[in-house]
Amino acid sequence: MGRSRKTRSRSAPAAAVEEPVDGGLARLVPDPDRARAWTLLVDGAPQSHVDLDDPAYLSFEYQRRIGHVIDLAAPPGRPVHAVHLGGGAFTLARYVAATRPRSTQQVVERDAGLVQLVRRELPLDPQARIRVRATDARAGLAKVPDGWADLVVADVFSGARTPAHLTSTEFLDEVRRALKPSGVYAANLADGPPLAYLRGQIATAAARFGELALVADPAVLRGKRFGNAVLVASDLPLPLAELTRRAASDPHSGRVEHGRALIDFTGGAGPVTDEAAVASPAPPPSVFQ
């Protein structure tokens, strides 16, 4: 890998790929520091980073935190059944395939144009057991057999916002149906001050799962800035000590909230139902500058 990086740095840099997709204008931008790595942006919003030479490398902080959840969801290297709601460039599915060979995975990505672009420009390992469905996340989840999944990961954004129908107790009922009794749910949530959306999502998950944890930058949890938080939920005890250690040792240290402190964090917010659900807040323009 070191040689290939040097070779590219001495030759003409790879060109960005730009193409309209269903959700807007997609751009694949080469990473100047990694020979076969790319960042996917849709309408200027970063969606994914993929290193084709090293799919276990996770560049985005929130994806690294979900990577910790994936690592701790089963003994090291053991294959799992995983469902990814929201595909992007299939970063986390590639990560599971690399770190847990022989895993069986389903990716649900509504944007068929984006799926075609990523498959063409950043092809999946043909040996990986990854099936991609170009359909709505909740509709795709409904096709997952009862109790099939060890892991369900939700990372769905449309116009940089999570659609309302993926924020409710009814949606989490579908997640629970698809999960094994020992299964784990992880969701990428984005919010900023006053954190009303994040508080509501924690309350919603608490109404459906027995164990919860939230991993985020302390500044996000304090309502100081807009950012990502990873919600982890299960009906079995979560590996909190190891998750806390890994999050704290990340390049941008994360904090893990759980138990009474996490329930108190909701500030009395109630569970969100389909009838009252709204999309996550739009990030301020400065987030992508």
Side-chain angles (χ1 to χ4, degrees):
M1 289 175 60
R3 287 184 182 176
S4 59
R5 289 192 192 114
K6 290 179 181 178
T7 298
R8 197 174 85 172
S9 65
R10 292 174 181 172
S11 60
V17 178
E18 193 170 282
E19 187 168 304
V21 296
D22 301 345
L25 183 64
R27 295 190 74 231
L28 287 170
V29 180
D31 183 334
D33 298 320
R34 303 180 75 88
R36 297 180 66 227
W38 300 79
T39 299
L40 167 68
L41 303 95
V42 178
D43 283 345
Q47 300 288 326
S48 303
H49 179 280
V50 168
D51 188 334
L52 297 178
D53 286 334
D54 183 9
Y57 173 77
L58 299 175
S59 175
F60 289 4
E61 196 62 52
Y62 85 85
Q63 291 187 327
R64 188 176 296 114
R65 288 167 181 157
I66 295 177
H68 298 328
V69 176
I70 293 169
D71 291 345
L72 298 172
R78 194 183 82 183
V80 295
H81 289 175
V83 178
H84 303 268
L85 304 177
F90 316 144
T91 303
L92 291 170
R94 298 174 200 264
Y95 180 83
V96 172
T99 60
R100 297 183 176 279
R102 302 183 309 284
S103 290
T104 303
Q105 303 185 74
Q106 299 185 37
V107 176
V108 184
E109 170 56 60
R110 181 172 186 171
D111 193 326
L114 181 60
V115 169
Q116 292 176 1
L117 171 65
V118 172
R119 279 190 176 280
R120 185 184 74 236
E121 298 293 335
L122 308 175
L124 289 165
D125 180 349
Q127 302 303 315
R129 301 175 182 179
I130 301 174
R131 179 180 182 182
V132 183
R133 298 176 184 266
T135 189
D136 172 77
R138 193 153 155 182
L141 180 62
K143 295 183 182 299
V144 177
D146 293 1
W148 182 83
D150 296 289
L151 183 70
V152 174
V153 176
D155 184 16
V156 185
F157 287 86
S158 176
R161 304 177 70 184
T162 299
H165 69 297
L166 305 180
T167 69
S168 66
T169 51
E170 291 90 342
F171 165 67
L172 289 185
D173 286 338
E174 274 296 296
V175 171
R176 281 182 58 93
R177 180 198 59 75
L179 280 171
K180 296 176 181 177
S182 60
V184 177
Y185 173 62
N188 176 30
L189 309 175
D191 199 9
L195 300 178
Y197 171 76
L198 184 58
R199 298 181 202 278
Q201 288 301 288
I202 296 167
T204 303
R208 291 298 184 268
F209 288 95
E211 301 288 337
L212 300 180
L214 189 74
V215 192
D217 186 301
V220 173
L221 292 176
R222 291 195 299 267
K224 298 295 186 182
R225 67 173 182 84
F226 193 97
N228 298 87
V230 172
L231 176 66
V232 189
S234 180
D235 280 331
L236 295 184
L238 296 167
L240 294 171
E242 183 61 16
L243 184 61
T244 299
R245 186 191 70 78
R246 293 186 182 212
S249 64
D250 279 338
H252 295 90
S253 180
R255 193 170 86 204
V256 176
E257 291 286 1
H258 60 91
R260 173 50 56 186
L262 185 56
I263 298 303
D264 290 346
F265 177 81
T266 65
V272 176
T273 64
D274 273 347
E275 186 176 0
V278 296
S280 66
S286 59
V287 167
F288 304 131
Q289 292 178 354

